[in-house]
Coordinates of all heavy atoms in Angstrom, one line a residue:
M5 N 50.2 43.6 178.2 CA 50.6 42.6 177.2 C 51.6 43.2 176.3 O 51.4 44.3 175.8 CB 49.4 42.1 176.5 CG 49.6 40.9 175.6 SD 48.1 40.2 174.8 CE 47.7 39.0 176.1
K6 N 52.6 42.5 175.9 CA 53.7 43.0 175.1 C 53.3 42.7 173.6 O 52.5 41.8 173.3 CB 55.0 42.3 175.4 CG 55.5 42.7 176.8 CD 56.8 42.1 177.1 CE 57.2 42.4 178.5 NZ 58.5 41.8 178.9
I7 N 53.9 43.5 172.7 CA 53.7 43.3 171.3 C 54.0 41.9 170.8 O 53.2 41.3 170.1 CB 54.5 44.4 170.5 CG1 53.9 45.8 170.8 CG2 54.4 44.1 169.0 CD1 54.7 46.9 170.1
F8 N 55.1 41.4 171.3 CA 55.5 40.0 170.9 C 54.4 39.0 171.3 O 54.0 38.1 170.5 CB 56.8 39.6 171.6 CG 57.1 38.1 171.4 CD1 57.6 37.7 170.1 CD2 56.9 37.2 172.4 CE1 57.8 36.4 169.9 CE2 57.1 35.9 172.2 CZ 57.6 35.4 170.9
E9 N 53.8 39.2 172.5 CA 52.8 38.2 172.9 C 51.5 38.3 172.1 O 50.9 37.3 171.7 CB 52.4 38.5 174.4 CG 53.5 38.2 175.3 CD 53.3 38.7 176.7 OE1 52.6 39.7 176.9 OE2 53.9 38.2 177.7
I10 N 51.2 39.5 171.7 CA 50.0 39.7 170.8 C 50.2 39.1 169.5 O 49.4 38.4 168.9 CB 49.7 41.2 170.7 CG1 49.2 41.8 172.0 CG2 48.6 41.5 169.6 CD1 49.1 43.3 172.0
L11 N 51.4 39.3 168.9 CA 51.8 38.7 167.6 C 51.8 37.2 167.7 O 51.3 36.5 166.7 CB 53.1 39.3 167.1 CG 53.1 40.7 166.7 CD1 54.6 41.2 166.4 CD2 52.2 41.0 165.6
N12 N 52.3 36.7 168.7 CA 52.4 35.3 168.9 C 51.0 34.6 169.0 O 50.8 33.6 168.4 CB 53.3 34.9 170.1 CG 53.7 33.5 170.1 OD1 53.9 32.9 169.1 ND2 53.8 32.9 171.3
I13 N 50.1 35.2 169.7 CA 48.8 34.7 169.9 C 48.0 34.7 168.6 O 47.3 33.7 168.2 CB 48.0 35.5 170.9 CG1 48.6 35.3 172.3 CG2 46.5 35.2 170.9 CD1 48.0 36.2 173.4
H14 N 48.2 35.7 167.8 CA 47.5 35.9 166.5 C 48.3 35.5 165.3 O 48.0 36.0 164.2 CB 47.0 37.3 166.4 CG 46.0 37.7 167.5 ND1 44.8 37.2 167.7 CD2 46.2 38.5 168.6 CE1 44.2 37.6 168.7 NE2 45.1 38.4 169.3
R15 N 49.4 34.8 165.5 CA 50.3 34.5 164.4 C 49.6 33.9 163.2 O 49.9 34.3 162.0 CB 51.4 33.5 164.9 CG 52.4 33.2 163.9 CD 53.4 32.1 164.3 NE 53.5 32.1 165.8 CZ 54.2 31.2 166.4 NH1 54.9 30.3 165.7 NH2 54.3 31.2 167.7
E16 N 48.8 32.9 163.4 CA 48.1 32.2 162.2 C 47.3 33.2 161.4 O 47.3 33.2 160.2 CB 47.3 31.0 162.7 CG 46.7 30.2 161.6 CD 45.9 29.0 162.1 OE1 46.1 28.6 163.2 OE2 45.0 28.6 161.3
L17 N 46.5 33.9 162.1 CA 45.6 34.9 161.4 C 46.5 35.9 160.7 O 46.2 36.3 159.5 CB 44.7 35.6 162.4 CG 43.9 36.8 161.9 CD1 42.9 36.3 160.8 CD2 43.1 37.5 163.0
L18 N 47.5 36.5 161.3 CA 48.4 37.4 160.7 C 49.1 36.9 159.5 O 49.2 37.6 158.4 CB 49.4 38.0 161.7 CG 48.8 38.8 162.8 CD1 49.9 39.1 163.9 CD2 48.2 40.1 162.3
N19 N 49.5 35.6 159.5 CA 50.1 35.0 158.4 C 49.1 34.9 157.2 O 49.5 35.1 156.0 CB 50.7 33.6 158.7 CG 52.0 33.8 159.5 OD1 52.7 34.8 159.4 ND2 52.3 32.8 160.3
R20 N 47.9 34.5 157.5 CA 46.9 34.4 156.5 C 46.6 35.7 155.8 O 46.4 35.8 154.6 CB 45.6 33.8 157.0 CG 45.8 32.3 157.3 CD 44.5 31.7 157.7 NE 44.6 30.3 158.1 CZ 43.7 29.5 158.3 NH1 42.4 29.9 158.3 NH2 43.9 28.2 158.7
L21 N 46.5 36.8 156.7 CA 46.2 38.1 156.2 C 47.4 38.6 155.3 O 47.1 39.1 154.2 CB 46.0 39.1 157.3 CG 44.7 38.9 158.1 CD1 44.7 39.8 159.3 CD2 43.5 39.2 157.3
Y22 N 48.6 38.3 155.7 CA 49.8 38.7 154.9 C 49.8 38.0 153.6 O 50.0 38.6 152.5 CB 51.0 38.4 155.7 CG 52.3 38.7 155.0 CD1 52.7 40.1 154.8 CD2 53.1 37.7 154.4 CE1 53.9 40.4 154.1 CE2 54.2 38.0 153.7 CZ 54.6 39.3 153.6 OH 55.8 39.6 152.9
A23 N 49.5 36.7 153.6 CA 49.5 35.9 152.4 C 48.4 36.4 151.4 O 48.5 36.2 150.2 CB 49.3 34.4 152.7
S24 N 47.3 37.0 152.0 CA 46.2 37.5 151.1 C 46.5 38.9 150.6 O 45.7 39.4 149.9 CB 44.9 37.5 151.9 OG 44.6 36.2 152.3
G25 N 47.6 39.5 151.0 CA 47.9 40.8 150.6 C 47.3 41.9 151.4 O 47.4 43.1 151.0
V26 N 46.8 41.6 152.6 CA 46.2 42.6 153.5 C 47.4 43.4 154.1 O 48.4 42.8 154.6 CB 45.3 42.0 154.5 CG1 44.8 43.0 155.5 CG2 44.2 41.3 153.9
R27 N 47.3 44.7 154.2 CA 48.3 45.5 154.8 C 47.7 46.0 156.2 O 46.5 46.2 156.3 CB 48.6 46.7 154.0 CG 49.1 46.4 152.6 CD 49.3 47.6 151.8 NE 49.7 47.2 150.4 CZ 49.7 48.1 149.4 NH1 49.4 49.3 149.6 NH2 50.0 47.7 148.2
L28 N 48.6 46.1 157.1 CA 48.1 46.5 158.5 C 47.4 47.8 158.5 O 46.4 48.0 159.2 CB 49.3 46.6 159.4 CG 49.0 46.8 160.9 CD1 48.1 45.8 161.5 CD2 50.3 46.9 161.7
E29 N 47.8 48.7 157.7 CA 47.2 50.0 157.6 C 45.8 50.0 157.0 O 45.0 50.9 157.2 CB 48.0 51.0 156.8 CG 48.0 50.8 155.3 CD 48.8 51.9 154.6 OE1 49.8 52.4 155.1 OE2 48.4 52.2 153.5
D30 N 45.4 48.9 156.3 CA 44.1 48.8 155.7 C 43.0 48.8 156.8 O 41.9 49.3 156.5 CB 44.0 47.5 154.9 CG 44.8 47.5 153.6 OD1 45.2 48.6 153.2 OD2 44.9 46.4 153.0
A31 N 43.3 48.4 158.0 CA 42.3 48.4 159.0 C 41.8 49.8 159.3 O 40.6 50.0 159.7 CB 42.8 47.8 160.3
R32 N 42.6 50.8 159.1 CA 42.2 52.2 159.3 C 41.1 52.7 158.3 O 40.4 53.7 158.6 CB 43.4 53.2 159.2 CG 44.3 53.1 160.3 CD 45.3 54.2 160.3 NE 46.4 53.8 159.5 CZ 47.5 54.6 159.2 NH1 47.4 55.8 159.5 NH2 48.5 54.1 158.5
Y33 N 41.0 52.0 157.2 CA 40.2 52.5 156.1 C 38.9 51.7 155.9 O 38.2 51.8 154.9 CB 41.0 52.6 154.8 CG 42.2 53.5 154.9 CD1 43.4 53.0 154.9 CD2 42.0 54.9 155.1 CE1 44.5 53.8 155.0 CE2 43.1 55.7 155.2 CZ 44.4 55.2 155.2 OH 45.4 56.0 155.3
I34 N 38.5 50.9 156.9 CA 37.3 50.1 156.8 C 36.1 51.0 156.7 O 35.2 50.8 155.9 CB 37.2 49.1 158.0 CG1 38.3 48.0 157.9 CG2 35.8 48.4 158.0 CD1 38.5 47.2 159.1
D35 N 36.1 52.0 157.5 CA 34.9 52.9 157.5 C 34.8 53.7 156.2 O 33.7 53.9 155.7 CB 35.0 53.9 158.7 CG 34.8 53.3 160.0 OD1 34.1 52.2 160.1 OD2 35.3 53.8 161.0
L36 N 36.0 54.0 155.6 CA 36.0 54.7 154.3 C 35.4 53.8 153.3 O 34.5 54.3 152.5 CB 37.5 55.0 153.9 CG 37.7 55.8 152.6 CD1 38.9 56.7 152.8 CD2 37.8 54.9 151.5
Y37 N 35.7 52.6 153.2 CA 35.1 51.7 152.2 C 33.7 51.4 152.5 O 32.9 51.3 151.6 CB 35.9 50.3 152.1 CG 35.5 49.5 151.0 CD1 35.9 49.9 149.7 CD2 34.6 48.4 151.1 CE1 35.5 49.1 148.6 CE2 34.2 47.7 150.0 CZ 34.6 48.0 148.8 OH 34.2 47.3 147.7
T38 N 33.3 51.3 153.7 CA 31.9 51.2 154.1 C 31.1 52.4 153.6 O 30.0 52.2 153.0 CB 31.7 51.0 155.6 OG1 32.4 49.9 156.1 CG2 30.2 50.9 156.0
D39 N 31.6 53.6 153.8 CA 30.9 54.8 153.3 C 30.9 54.8 151.7 O 29.9 55.2 151.2 CB 31.7 56.1 153.7 CG 31.5 56.3 155.2 OD1 30.6 55.7 155.8 OD2 32.2 57.2 155.8
Y40 N 31.9 54.3 151.1 CA 32.0 54.2 149.7 C 30.9 53.3 149.2 O 30.1 53.7 148.3 CB 33.3 53.7 149.2 CG 33.3 53.3 147.7 CD1 33.4 54.3 146.7 CD2 33.3 52.0 147.4 CE1 33.4 53.9 145.4 CE2 33.3 51.6 146.1 CZ 33.3 52.5 145.1 OH 33.3 52.1 143.7
S41 N 30.8 52.2 149.8 CA 29.7 51.2 149.3 C 28.3 51.7 149.5 O 27.5 51.5 148.7 CB 29.9 49.9 150.1 OG 31.1 49.3 149.9
R42 N 28.1 52.4 150.6 CA 26.8 53.0 150.9 C 26.5 54.0 149.9 O 25.4 54.0 149.3 CB 26.8 53.5 152.3 CG 25.4 54.2 152.7 CD 25.5 54.9 154.1 NE 26.6 55.7 154.3 CZ 26.7 57.0 153.8 NH1 25.8 57.5 153.1 NH2 27.8 57.7 154.1
M43 N 27.4 55.0 149.7 CA 27.1 56.1 148.7 C 26.9 55.5 147.3 O 26.1 56.1 146.6 CB 28.3 57.1 148.8 CG 28.4 57.8 150.1 SD 29.8 58.8 150.3 CE 29.3 60.3 149.3
L44 N 27.7 54.5 146.9 CA 27.6 53.9 145.6 C 26.2 53.3 145.5 O 25.5 53.4 144.4 CB 28.7 52.9 145.4 CG 28.8 52.4 143.9 CD1 29.2 53.6 143.0 CD2 29.9 51.3 143.9
G45 N 25.7 52.6 146.5 CA 24.4 52.0 146.5 C 23.3 53.0 146.5 O 22.2 52.7 146.0
E46 N 23.6 54.3 146.9 CA 22.6 55.3 146.9 C 22.6 56.0 145.5 O 21.8 56.9 145.3 CB 22.9 56.4 148.0 CG 22.7 55.8 149.4 CD 23.1 56.8 150.5 OE1 23.8 57.8 150.2 OE2 22.9 56.4 151.7
G47 N 23.4 55.6 144.6 CA 23.4 56.1 143.3 C 24.4 57.3 143.0 O 24.3 57.9 142.0
E48 N 25.3 57.6 144.0 CA 26.2 58.7 143.8 C 27.3 58.2 142.7 O 27.6 57.1 142.6 CB 26.9 59.0 145.1 CG 26.0 59.5 146.2 CD 25.4 60.9 145.9 OE1 25.8 61.6 144.9 OE2 24.5 61.3 146.7
K49 N 27.9 59.2 142.0 CA 28.9 58.9 141.1 C 30.2 58.7 141.8 O 30.5 59.3 142.8 CB 29.1 60.1 140.1 CG 27.8 60.2 139.2 CD 28.1 61.2 138.1 CE 26.8 61.3 137.3 NZ 27.0 61.5 135.9
V50 N 31.1 57.8 141.2 CA 32.3 57.4 141.9 C 33.2 58.7 142.1 O 33.8 58.8 143.2 CB 33.1 56.4 141.1 CG1 34.4 56.1 141.6 CG2 32.2 55.1 141.0
S51 N 33.3 59.5 141.1 CA 34.2 60.7 141.2 C 33.7 61.6 142.4 O 34.6 62.1 143.1 CB 34.3 61.5 139.9 OG 33.0 61.9 139.5
Y52 N 32.4 61.8 142.6 CA 31.9 62.6 143.7 C 32.2 61.9 145.0 O 32.6 62.5 146.0 CB 30.4 62.7 143.5 CG 29.7 63.4 144.7 CD1 29.8 64.7 144.9 CD2 29.0 62.6 145.6 CE1 29.2 65.3 146.0 CE2 28.4 63.2 146.7 CZ 28.5 64.6 146.9 OH 27.9 65.1 148.0
I53 N 32.0 60.6 145.1 CA 32.3 59.8 146.3 C 33.7 60.0 146.7 O 34.1 60.2 147.8 CB 31.9 58.3 146.1 CG1 30.4 58.2 145.8 CG2 32.4 57.5 147.3 CD1 30.0 56.8 145.4
V54 N 34.6 59.8 145.7 CA 36.1 59.9 146.0 C 36.4 61.3 146.6 O 37.2 61.4 147.5 CB 36.9 59.6 144.7 CG1 38.4 60.0 144.9 CG2 36.7 58.1 144.3
V55 N 35.9 62.3 146.0 CA 36.2 63.7 146.5 C 35.7 63.8 147.9 O 36.4 64.3 148.8 CB 35.6 64.8 145.6 CG1 35.7 66.1 146.2 CG2 36.3 64.8 144.2
M56 N 34.5 63.4 148.2 CA 33.9 63.5 149.5 C 34.7 62.7 150.6 O 35.0 63.2 151.7 CB 32.4 63.0 149.5 CG 31.5 63.9 148.6 SD 31.5 65.6 149.1 CE 30.8 65.6 150.7
L57 N 35.0 61.5 150.2 CA 35.8 60.6 151.2 C 37.2 61.1 151.4 O 37.7 61.0 152.5 CB 35.8 59.2 150.7 CG 34.4 58.5 150.6 CD1 34.6 57.1 150.0 CD2 33.8 58.4 152.0
S58 N 37.8 61.7 150.3 CA 39.1 62.3 150.5 C 39.1 63.4 151.5 O 40.0 63.5 152.3 CB 39.6 62.8 149.1 OG 40.8 63.5 149.2
E59 N 38.1 64.2 151.4 CA 38.0 65.3 152.4 C 37.7 64.8 153.8 O 38.3 65.3 154.8 CB 36.9 66.3 151.9 CG 37.3 67.1 150.7 CD 36.2 68.0 150.2 OE1 35.2 68.2 150.9 OE2 36.4 68.6 149.1
K60 N 36.7 63.9 153.9 CA 36.3 63.4 155.2 C 37.4 62.7 155.9 O 37.6 62.8 157.1 CB 35.1 62.4 155.0 CG 34.6 61.9 156.3 CD 33.4 61.0 156.0 CE 32.8 60.4 157.4 NZ 31.7 59.6 157.2
Y61 N 38.2 61.9 155.2 CA 39.2 61.0 155.9 C 40.6 61.6 155.8 O 41.6 61.0 156.3 CB 39.2 59.6 155.3 CG 37.9 58.9 155.8 CD1 36.8 58.8 154.9 CD2 37.8 58.3 157.0 CE1 35.6 58.2 155.3 CE2 36.7 57.6 157.4 CZ 35.6 57.6 156.6 OH 34.5 56.9 157.0
G62 N 40.8 62.8 155.1 CA 42.0 63.5 155.1 C 43.1 62.7 154.3 O 44.3 62.7 154.7
V63 N 42.7 62.1 153.2 CA 43.7 61.3 152.4 C 43.5 61.9 150.9 O 42.5 62.5 150.6 CB 43.5 59.8 152.4 CG1 43.7 59.3 153.8 CG2 42.1 59.4 152.0
S64 N 44.5 61.6 150.1 CA 44.4 62.0 148.7 C 43.4 61.3 147.9 O 43.0 60.1 148.3 CB 45.8 61.9 148.0 OG 46.1 60.5 147.9
E65 N 42.9 61.8 146.9 CA 41.9 61.2 146.0 C 42.6 59.9 145.4 O 41.9 58.9 145.3 CB 41.5 62.1 144.9 CG 40.6 63.2 145.4 CD 40.2 64.2 144.3 OE1 40.2 63.8 143.1 OE2 39.8 65.3 144.7
R66 N 43.9 60.0 145.1 CA 44.6 58.8 144.6 C 44.6 57.7 145.6 O 44.4 56.5 145.2 CB 46.0 59.2 144.2 CG 46.8 58.1 143.6 CD 46.3 57.9 142.1 NE 45.8 56.6 142.0 CZ 44.8 56.2 141.3 NH1 44.2 57.1 140.5 NH2 44.3 55.0 141.2
K67 N 44.7 58.0 146.9 CA 44.7 57.0 147.9 C 43.3 56.3 148.0 O 43.2 55.1 148.2 CB 45.1 57.6 149.3 CG 45.0 56.7 150.5 CD 46.2 55.8 150.4 CE 46.3 55.0 151.7 NZ 47.4 54.1 151.8
V68 N 42.3 57.1 147.9 CA 40.9 56.6 147.9 C 40.7 55.6 146.8 O 40.2 54.5 147.0 CB 39.8 57.7 147.9 CG1 38.4 57.1 147.8 CG2 40.0 58.6 149.1
Y69 N 41.1 56.0 145.6 CA 41.0 55.1 144.4 C 41.7 53.8 144.6 O 41.3 52.7 144.3 CB 41.5 55.8 143.1 CG 40.5 56.7 142.5 CD1 40.7 58.1 142.4 CD2 39.3 56.2 141.9 CE1 39.8 59.0 141.8 CE2 38.4 57.1 141.3 CZ 38.6 58.4 141.2 OH 37.8 59.3 140.7
S70 N 42.9 54.0 145.2 CA 43.8 52.8 145.5 C 43.1 51.8 146.5 O 43.1 50.6 146.3 CB 45.1 53.3 146.0 OG 45.9 52.2 146.4
L71 N 42.5 52.4 147.5 CA 41.9 51.6 148.5 C 40.6 50.9 148.0 O 40.4 49.7 148.3 CB 41.5 52.5 149.7 CG 42.6 53.0 150.6 CD1 42.1 54.1 151.5 CD2 43.2 51.8 151.4
I72 N 39.9 51.6 147.2 CA 38.7 51.0 146.6 C 39.1 49.8 145.7 O 38.5 48.7 145.8 CB 37.9 52.0 145.7 CG1 37.3 53.1 146.6 CG2 36.9 51.4 144.8 CD1 36.7 54.3 145.9
K73 N 40.1 50.0 144.9 CA 40.6 48.9 144.0 C 41.1 47.7 144.9 O 40.7 46.6 144.6 CB 41.7 49.4 143.1 CG 42.2 48.4 142.2 CD 43.3 48.9 141.2 CE 43.7 47.9 140.3 NZ 44.8 48.4 139.4
R74 N 41.8 48.0 145.9 CA 42.4 46.9 146.7 C 41.3 46.2 147.5 O 41.3 44.9 147.6 CB 43.4 47.5 147.7 CG 44.2 46.4 148.4 CD 45.4 46.9 149.1 NE 45.5 48.3 148.9 CZ 46.0 49.1 149.8 NH1 46.5 48.7 151.0 NH2 46.2 50.4 149.6
F75 N 40.3 46.9 148.0 CA 39.2 46.3 148.8 C 38.3 45.5 148.0 O 37.6 44.6 148.5 CB 38.5 47.3 149.7 CG 39.3 47.8 150.9 CD1 40.6 47.5 151.1 CD2 38.6 48.5 151.8 CE1 41.3 47.9 152.2 CE2 39.3 49.0 153.0 CZ 40.6 48.6 153.1
Q76 N 38.1 45.8 146.7 CA 37.2 45.1 145.9 C 37.9 43.8 145.5 O 37.4 42.8 145.3 CB 36.9 45.8 144.6 CG 36.0 47.0 144.9 CD 35.7 47.9 143.7 OE1 36.4 47.8 142.7 NE2 34.7 48.6 143.7

C-alpha cells in the first residue's frame, strides 16, 4: 500500500486530529504518558517522574514536561 492510499483512506480522522492539535510524532510518546500517569498515581513526585522518563525514553526533561502539558 502506498502512502497516498493510506492518507486517503484515513483522511477524515487525520483532519480531525490535525484540527485538535495532535502532532504525528505524539504517537511515539503514548507509553511515556501512560508511565507518567501510573507513576503519578503511585504518589511519585513530578520532578522525579520527569527525570526517570527522560532517561528511559531518551528525550530531554523539557520534552517530557512539554508532552505532559500537551497530553493533559
Side-chain angles (χ1 to χ4, degrees):
M5 188 173 269
K6 296 181 181 181
I7 292 174
F8 172 77
E9 293 168 335
I10 294 170
L11 292 173
N12 193 34
I13 291 170
H14 300 289
R15 180 185 339 175
E16 184 178 337
L17 173 61
L18 292 170
N19 284 334
R20 287 185 184 189
L21 291 171
Y22 178 75
S24 298
V26 175
R27 300 176 188 168
L28 185 57
E29 73 174 34
D30 287 346
R32 285 191 272 174
Y33 301 111
I34 293 171
D35 291 336
L36 182 148
Y37 190 75
T38 301
D39 287 346
Y40 167 79
S41 297
R42 179 185 49 78
M43 293 172 79
L44 191 63
E46 292 171 354
E48 300 291 351
K49 295 188 179 216
V50 173
S51 57
Y52 172 76
I53 296 170
V54 169
V55 170
M56 296 304 294
L57 295 177
S58 173
E59 291 177 9
K60 180 176 180 180
Y61 290 95
V63 296
S64 69
E65 292 178 21
R66 185 71 246 148
K67 178 74 171 180
V68 175
Y69 279 115
S70 173
L71 289 166
I72 291 168
K73 183 177 180 181
R74 191 168 356 148
F75 283 12
Q76 289 176 339

